[in-house]
Amino acid sequence: MTVELVGEGSGDDAVVRKRIVVVGGGFAGAYAAQALERRLGKRDDVEILLFCRENYTVFQPMLPEVISGTIGLTDVVTPLRRLLRRTHVHVREVESIDLQNKTVSVAAGFSAHTHVERFDHLIIAPGTVTDFRGLTGLPEHALPFKNLADALELRSRVIRALEEADVESDHPELRRQLLTFVVAGGGFSGVEVVAELNDFVRRVAKLYRRIDPRELRVVLVHAQDRILPEMKPKLGAFAQKILRRRGVELMLGYRLHAATGASALLSGPDGVVSVPTRTLVSTIPASPHPLIDSLALPKTRNGRLLVDGTMRIQGREDLWALGDCASVPTRDGTPCPPTAQHATRQAQLVADNIARVLGRGGGGGAVPLQTFNFQGLGKMGSLGRRNAVAEIFGISISGFLAWFLWRTIYLAKMPGWGRRLKVATSWTLDLLLQPELVELRLGSSGGAIHEHFEPGQRVFSEGELGDRVYILLSGRAEVVRRRTNDAAVAGDGEQVLAVLGPGECFGEMALLDSAPRNATIRCLEPMTVLSIPKREFGLLAANVPGLRASFEQVTARRLSQGLLQ
Ligand SMILES: Cc1cc2nc3c(=O)[nH]c(=O)nc-3n(C[C@H](O)[C@H](O)[C@H](O)COP(=O)(O)OP(=O)(O)OC[C@H]3O[C@@H](n4cnc5c(N)ncnc54)[C@H](O)[C@@H]3O)c2cc1C
């Protein structure tokens, strides 16, 4: 492994440029780099370097529209290179920041060497992450909704569910799961996602000959007694009325408690209820970014970096933070909410302050720094199909006018005329044409995955085709078979053959013998399994020495003990 320290003058060693490194290419990072270009881009003693995981910036307010295909898949993103002409854009993930040596280390690309870049000023803006860790079954089965990949995944999942339901006309339980769509979180993003998802499935369901639109169930789960708690109660009530009228079921006072591959478990006033579903989206509050977590810098209780009004990190002259990852105080001392309108304004100010620090000729400037003083212009939430709610300068607006404002304002805020034109065209065409229904299957659907099961849930049933092999990581399951003449009867004419615990595998016999399952596996205690698809298992069994033999030994032992599955 080689360590490369890059950037001491990039060839032109006579000048060691002051280097400003930006981590993150979202509303905060990309706009900060753009503002820096305007102020410092022509100076040859300063260079700007931006790291971002993707080569584009996402216009998140319009992301929910990707679900319905109202706007094109790539219309909500702008390539960073179009936006930033004088910045070195490196599409790499920053893995760590060395505060002492003033360097950042980035993830390996095609070649596995460590890549380190020095900085004179560092702008930290990687946003936040959706972290389902510690929430039972959510890491395995819930979909987050934050970036373009999440929106594409959700759209594909919804279309797949409809396609499957159209085929599975003889399996009412499976149809219920496939035709129920659950969104958890009644804040702005949850409401916008459920509105788009509901409009989409109800519009396209007509194209499926075996789906009765009355079978569709779209559920919004929210822990409080009203949605959109950020807005005035009357706007929340208006949003509820519109969503209900369009067929969205509101489960207020319920909290997403756990998930399995076939259900969402909600805890509410009457205890835990299970909603059968194969499509669960959770817009739970974001968690601190792991990169921020790892830094020994002052933070708030919820893990945001503490900065002063100039956006400098307390006690450091060279570190700046903004956007969702930072707690930026306004003049009255309250922290800014994590919104795009705040992030873009913080970006302007951080660039201005860094330009002041660097002064005219690169030396320290004595000009006082500016402090952030933006209170927000208002809040808006789209409810789909010509309806929205808005609070602008304290005035409440709802219905068509709010929707018109929502579209006009966000269209004007999109970066670049090209995008604006594309989005405006997509919106116009959407009024005239049927919604797009192409299912994109990106990447391979294979690979080992974790799955979570709750007591009573079947992993597979006797007689089904063998499609996966499982390794039990935690919890317990029972192996049951339809009753023969023997004892040990579990009820419903079933016989318990064995109880499996952590470390044991199951499901291999049907795969090795290409035969149907000859027993049912049912969860006894909440359990997590590693589930390996048939194809991958076949490749491993064929190529890893001894693997097939060891599975065959397990099979032989189980057969000799009468434990079939
Ligand atoms: C669905 C949705 C709808 C929203 N609607 C609105 C709205 O209508 N109005 C509004 O004001 N706000 C809205 N928001 C909130 C708004 O999008 C955020 O406040 C804003 O995006 C924050 O900007 P940011 O740059 O801090 O973070 P982000 O926009 O999340 O950007 C972070 C960037 O950092 C990159 N990154 C992360 N980790 C690394 C790493 N280790 N190395 C390199 N790059 C990294 C990411 O790829 C990303 O490009 C919405 C958010 C969502 C999710």
Side-chain angles (χ1 to χ4, degrees):
M1 184 196 282
T2 54
V3 176
E4 216 174 78
L5 191 66
V6 193
E8 296 296 341
S10 34
D12 181 7
D13 288 331
V15 185
V16 177
R17 296 187 176 103
K18 289 276 180 201
R19 177 180 277 186
I20 307 164
V21 169
V22 183
V23 179
F27 280 107
Y31 283 73
Q34 203 182 36
L36 282 167
E37 282 188 2
R38 266 186 241 118
R39 288 161 180 83
L40 302 166
K42 289 194 179 139
R43 275 175 53 171
D44 55 11
D45 60 335
V46 177
E47 67 176 348
I48 309 159
L49 172 58
L50 179 138
F51 287 101
C52 186
R53 269 194 313 230
E54 299 88 23
N55 82 338
Y56 52 78
T57 186
V58 185
F59 195 76
Q60 274 153 338
M62 285 185 192
L63 202 54
E65 299 206 22
V66 170
I67 304 169
S68 56
T70 312
I71 53 179
L73 297 180
T74 53
D75 293 351
V76 281
V77 295
T78 307
L80 286 167
R81 287 179 201 285
R82 286 254 159 78
L83 216 57
L84 306 170
R85 298 298 175 103
R86 295 180 186 148
T87 298
H88 299 285
V89 175
H90 287 194
V91 182
R92 285 281 182 89
E93 179 162 355
V94 172
E95 287 190 328
S96 62
I97 299 172
D98 183 338
L99 297 173
Q100 224 176 351
N101 294 312
K102 297 179 60 151
T103 58
V104 296
S105 302
V106 297
F110 281 110
S111 160
H113 61 258
T114 306
H115 188 96
V116 180
E117 297 276 2
R118 67 163 184 91
F119 63 81
D120 295 295
H121 286 271
L122 181 68
I123 299 179
I124 307 173
T128 49
V129 291
T130 307
D131 188 358
F132 292 143
R133 271 176 303 170
L135 299 165
T136 311
L138 265 67
E140 294 86 2
H141 303 293
L143 298 170
F145 196 83
K146 197 156 166 56
N147 54 42
L148 185 64
D150 299 335
L152 288 178
E153 169 71 23
L154 175 58
R155 180 181 156 77
S156 300
R157 193 79 80 89
V158 169
I159 299 175
R160 180 101 295 264
L162 295 172
E163 298 293 350
E164 283 295 312
D166 199 54
V167 177
E168 298 287 357
S169 50
D170 296 335
H171 295 86
E173 193 187 327
L174 180 57
R175 282 178 76 80
R176 258 195 303 281
Q177 294 163 8
L178 290 166
L179 294 175
T180 303
F181 306 90
V182 179
V183 177
F188 281 111
S189 27
V191 166
E192 292 185 345
V193 167
V194 86
E196 286 295 326
L197 197 155
N198 183 59
D199 286 353
F200 178 61
V201 289
R202 292 188 191 280
R203 273 177 86 186
V204 298
K206 297 173 198 140
L207 298 170
Y208 293 83
R209 299 184 63 182
R210 285 182 171 168
I211 295 179
D212 179 345
R214 286 171 301 186
E215 288 181 278
L216 293 170
R217 197 175 163 203
V218 181
V219 183
L220 177 63
V221 181
H222 187 56
Q224 297 171 25
D225 59 1
R226 73 171 180 93
I227 60 170
L228 295 179
E230 308 90 335
M231 296 197 116
K232 288 181 185 156
K234 71 171 183 183
L235 292 177
F238 177 84
Q240 286 180 195
K241 190 179 78 184
I242 295 293
L243 291 178
R244 281 199 174 113
R245 194 190 291 161
R246 290 182 180 168
V248 176
E249 192 181 320
L250 300 182
M251 292 190 73
L252 302 177
Y254 285 87
R255 195 177 285 279
L256 181 60
H257 159 77
T260 71
S263 63
L265 301 177
L266 314 176
S267 57
D270 339 310
V272 175
V273 290
S274 169
V275 178
T277 183
R278 298 253 163 179
T279 314
L280 168 64
V281 189
S282 176
T283 57
I284 55 157
S287 309
H289 196 289
L291 191 63
I292 306 292
D293 245 1
S294 67
L295 293 174
L297 289 172
K299 288 171 211 147
T300 60
R301 272 194 5 209
N302 60 4
R304 294 171 86 187
L305 281 170
L306 269 173
V307 295
D308 61 24
T310 68
M311 262 160 292
R312 248 184 188 158
I313 289 175
Q314 291 172 7
R316 292 285 301 229
E317 301 265 292
D318 53 346
L319 297 183
W320 312 76
L322 67 155
D324 285 5
C325 77
S327 175
V328 180
T330 51
R331 243 178 227 168
D332 66 8
T334 52
C336 296
T339 71
Q341 58 173 315
H342 287 85
T344 48
R345 283 160 179 93
Q346 290 163 7
Q348 299 297 326
L349 194 103
V350 87
D352 208 44
N353 280 342
I354 291 177
R356 283 165 185 247
V357 169
L358 291 179
R360 282 181 187 280
V367 195
L369 301 187
Q370 310 231 64
T371 51
F372 194 66
N373 187 29
F374 172 71
Q375 294 293 355
L377 303 174
K379 301 162 195 157
M380 292 193 286
S382 167
L383 304 173
R385 276 200 288 142
R386 284 165 241 186
N387 243 306
V389 280
E391 240 177 77
I392 299 174
F393 299 119
I395 301 166
S396 305
I397 311 166
S398 57
F400 181 79
L401 179 60
W403 175 81
F404 181 76
L405 285 172
W406 187 95
R407 284 208 157 177
T408 313
I409 291 173
Y410 282 122
L411 191 65
K413 287 195 175 299
M414 287 209 90
W417 280 104
R419 298 281 131 185
R420 282 177 217 156
L421 190 63
K422 279 186 171 181
V423 169
T425 311
S426 296
W427 280 343
T428 312
L429 290 176
D430 184 63
L431 297 173
L432 309 169
L433 305 177
Q434 288 294 316
E436 188 55 75
L437 190 56
V438 173
E439 179 200 356
L440 289 176
R441 292 198 200 177
L442 300 171
S444 74
S445 57
I449 53 168
H450 285 127
E451 289 189 58
H452 178 80
F453 294 89
E454 286 286 312
Q457 198 185 348
R458 289 167 182 217
V459 179
F460 55 72
S461 299
E462 195 176 337
E464 286 180 0
L465 294 175
D467 59 346
R468 309 183 82 89
V469 65
Y470 301 85
I471 298 165
L472 225 161
L473 302 177
S474 65
R476 285 188 319 138
E478 58 184 357
V479 185
V480 294
R481 197 171 47 175
R482 273 190 288 274
R483 182 147 71 137
T484 58
N485 298 327
D486 302 341
V489 173
D492 288 340
E494 286 175 350
Q495 180 184 5
V496 177
L497 298 176
V499 171
L500 305 175
E504 293 191 84
C505 63
F506 57 90
E508 77 289 348
M509 289 165 80
L511 264 66
L512 290 171
D513 300 343
S514 299
R517 305 282 192 200
N518 46 26
T520 294
I521 303 287
R522 192 163 48 212
C523 173
L524 277 179
E525 283 171 8
M527 63 180 204
T528 304
V529 298
L530 184 69
S531 141
I532 306 165
K534 183 177 180 175
R535 187 175 163 274
E536 279 72 8
F537 177 69
L539 284 171
L540 286 171
N543 296 300
V544 178
L547 188 77
R548 187 180 176 95
S550 88
F551 271 102
E552 281 171 348
Q553 275 169 17
V554 174
T555 305
R557 181 172 51 79
R558 286 181 175 165
L559 280 169
S560 71
Q561 294 168 349
L563 310 178
L564 302 167
Q565 29 133 333

